[in-house]
Amino acid sequence: MTAPEGTRPMRGGPAGGRGGDRRPVRPPLDRPRRAAYEAVAAVHRDDAFANLVLPIILREEGLFGRDAAFATELTYGTLRHLGTLDAILTDAAGRDVARIDPPVRDALRLGAYQLLHTRVPAHAAVSSTVDLVRSVGPGATGFANAVLREVSTRDIDGWVAKLAPPMETDPVGHLALAYSHPQWIVRAFAESLGGDLGETARLLIEDNERPPVHLCARPGLIDPVELADQAGGAPGAFSPYAVYLPGGAPGDLPAVADGRAHVQDEGSQLVASALVNAPLDGPDGRWLDLCAGPGGKAGLLGALAAQRGARVTAVEVAEHRARLVSQATRDLPVTVLATDGREVGADPKLPEEHFDRVLVDAPCTGLGSLRRRPESRWRRQPSDLPPLTRLQRELLGAALRAVRPGGLVAYVTCSPHTVETHVTVTEAARRSGVPVDFVDARPLLPAGMPGLGDGPTVQLWPHRHGTDAMFLAVLRRG
């Protein structure tokens, strides 16, 4: 990627003083790099989410087109490669990055990313970063210049060769540094992939790629081919409702603005529609989305329910997220309840043995969507797992109480971690106190999908399917 116009230093002109005094004038900070810095700093300083804060910053800076794309690339690229960048900066600076003043540290991360992962000329990456440091940490410009010049002495492969432990003796440590993931996540991915380190590396590489935007054409409201034509995109590879958006702001599309389509990863579409595709004996008019916020799956279920004469009850414990679900499902046969999904049987609106199909899209670590939320890989810790898996078991247990005998429950997580997938679903089924049978989920997905494993559960993968790493188990209550 080349640097946008306006990033080259400008020559000094008249200072405006009497006598024609001429002094060098520092170039103004270029706005794309400043926007990227503000976004990265907000993520680290305020625990902000890049996908929420960056659009606001771009709008405030008045950045569009090429400049907005450059700022976005710098922001997300820096956050994805943070672990490797920090290891390189530690070596180049001769001190741990934790000892560098936070504003200077974030500026150096942006500069190192430009040097190692973009086509920005080295002199432009160094000079623009030094200018940035001058504004956020004026006393550190010499230090920043020296560190970045040291970074520029090697390409990324050279730095990995110097700093990463040998693959032969420490494969997890090597992959973690080479592909910028915490070691515990690399270990969890490798376990989920059966110990195949080559495939683990392919997954890590895919996690560091910029993912395309996926749209969901709501069935009965807009045809996916029509949506693809409107968006200038292409129909998805697997989901019959998916459209791949090449770029731009999806909210500007008329079909998204008026509720005929919404932004949703293709994997999420596949697991929601799998529940609806599963054969079911008996009544089929009462569906339940037990963890509905922010409303993507509820929107797809609602559109499918409208075609089949069914009605969806969408449950979301957080009031603000329940409002999002209401907005996402307007004009669809969906009733939104702002309550805790674990209250099945205690809440009269959530009676036991009442629903025919139940979706449990359980709260999880989100390790399956790290390519979309790169900061999550650095925030999540193994200590997050025990409370999350307890909640997952409780919600799945509530779903098994809510579904009628013979009805179906789909347990879904956006994580491939075996503790959140196989362990949780097996334990919840065992503790439920009701007879449960696993349904083979593979035939519920489109024919010809590769790499679905041995069943009965299914794990989708970014590097295999181009989707988030969604896990799906389908259970039938006896």
Side-chain angles (χ1 to χ4, degrees):
M1 176 176 293
T2 57
E5 294 176 5
T7 61
R8 294 182 179 177
M10 297 182 296
R11 295 189 178 277
R18 288 161 54 184
D21 181 24
R22 300 172 65 88
R23 292 174 295 174
V25 177
R26 292 303 310 173
L29 289 175
D30 75 74
R31 293 187 299 155
R33 287 183 171 89
R34 182 74 197 200
Y37 169 80
E38 293 294 346
V40 170
V43 167
H44 297 138
R45 181 187 63 237
D46 307 325
D47 284 338
F49 292 95
N51 67 313
L52 298 180
V53 71
L54 181 59
I56 297 172
I57 293 171
L58 294 178
R59 191 163 53 248
E60 290 175 346
E61 290 285 346
L63 296 177
F64 304 97
R66 184 167 172 251
D67 282 345
F70 185 59
T72 301
E73 164 69 9
L74 292 185
T75 300
Y76 280 93
T78 299
L79 294 173
R80 288 189 184 102
H81 294 275
L82 193 69
T84 305
L85 295 176
D86 279 1
I88 293 168
L89 289 170
T90 291
D91 187 86
R95 70 177 79 165
D96 194 286
V97 290
R99 296 176 53 209
I100 300 174
D101 187 46
V104 176
R105 181 169 63 222
D106 282 332
L108 288 174
R109 288 163 166 167
L110 284 163
Y113 177 76
Q114 292 173 68
L115 286 168
L116 299 172
H117 292 283
T118 76
R119 290 180 292 169
V120 174
H123 67 88
V126 172
S127 64
S128 62
T129 303
V130 170
D131 287 339
L132 179 58
V133 169
R134 184 174 287 106
S135 70
V136 301
T141 55
F143 169 73
N145 184 69
V147 170
L148 291 172
R149 291 192 181 281
E150 178 62 23
V151 171
S152 70
T153 60
R154 292 178 174 85
D155 62 11
I156 185 61
D157 292 336
W159 279 111
V160 169
K162 179 182 180 183
L163 300 178
M167 185 73 178
E168 297 74 22
T169 57
D170 185 2
V172 169
H174 180 92
L175 293 173
L177 191 136
Y179 301 117
S180 198
H181 283 67
Q183 289 195 26
W184 76 274
I185 293 179
V186 175
R187 196 172 291 110
F189 285 172
E191 180 182 356
S192 298
L193 288 166
D196 188 329
L197 295 177
E199 190 172 10
T200 301
R202 291 194 292 276
L203 169 60
L204 300 176
I205 291 169
E206 190 65 30
D207 255 0
N208 288 334
E209 294 296 321
R210 180 174 57 189
V213 174
H214 294 174
L215 301 179
C216 177
R218 293 184 173 183
L221 298 178
I222 188 170
D223 183 84
V225 175
E226 178 188 350
L227 178 60
D229 289 342
Q230 183 185 113
F238 302 115
S239 168
Y241 319 115
V243 170
Y244 300 159
L245 189 64
D252 294 340
L253 294 171
V256 174
D258 63 23
R260 290 176 294 147
H262 60 268
V263 176
Q264 185 179 37
D265 180 75
E266 188 175 17
S268 294
Q269 299 174 39
L270 289 168
V271 296
S273 56
L275 171 63
V276 178
N277 293 337
L280 178 66
D281 294 328
D284 192 15
R286 295 175 297 202
W287 301 354
L288 173 63
D289 184 350
L290 202 59
C291 312
K297 294 183 182 67
L300 176 54
L301 290 176
L304 291 167
Q307 292 185 313
R308 294 173 51 165
R311 185 160 194 92
V312 180
T313 299
V315 176
E316 173 52 49
V317 66
E319 289 277 357
H320 71 285
R321 286 170 64 87
R323 288 192 293 272
L324 293 175
V325 177
S326 295
Q327 295 167 11
T329 59
R330 66 183 185 274
D331 301 326
L332 295 173
V334 177
T335 300
V336 180
L337 302 180
T339 190
D340 192 324
R342 292 171 291 182
E343 292 299 305
V344 170
D347 188 324
K349 295 180 180 178
L350 290 175
E352 293 187 1
E353 300 186 6
H354 178 74
F355 296 94
D356 305 306
R357 299 179 191 266
V358 181
L359 174 66
V360 184
D361 182 12
C364 65
T365 55
L367 300 185
S369 59
L370 296 184
R371 58 190 188 144
R372 300 189 189 280
R373 298 179 178 86
E375 65 273 12
S376 294
R377 72 183 74 177
W378 312 115
R379 290 179 178 169
R380 284 299 188 187
Q381 301 294 331
S383 58
D384 296 331
L385 285 165
L388 278 172
T389 53
R390 182 169 58 250
L391 176 59
Q392 291 159 4
R393 290 193 301 269
E394 291 171 352
L395 286 166
L396 183 49
L400 291 169
R401 296 197 307 273
V403 74
R404 66 167 173 84
L408 296 164
V409 174
Y411 173 77
V412 170
T413 64
C414 188
S415 170
H417 199 300
T418 55
V419 172
E420 298 187 90
T421 57
H422 297 285
V423 173
T424 286
V425 74
T426 302
E427 279 298 297
R430 184 180 65 81
R431 298 180 187 185
S432 67
V434 300
V436 174
D437 294 319
F438 280 82
V439 176
D440 191 345
R442 294 172 297 172
L444 307 179
L445 297 174
M449 281 195 72
L452 295 182
D454 299 327
T457 63
V458 164
Q459 179 67 64
L460 302 179
W461 294 101
H463 66 293
R464 288 184 186 175
H465 308 107
T467 69
D468 289 347
M470 304 296 298
F471 173 83
L472 169 67
V474 180
L475 311 174
R476 189 185 306 275
R477 177 170 171 172

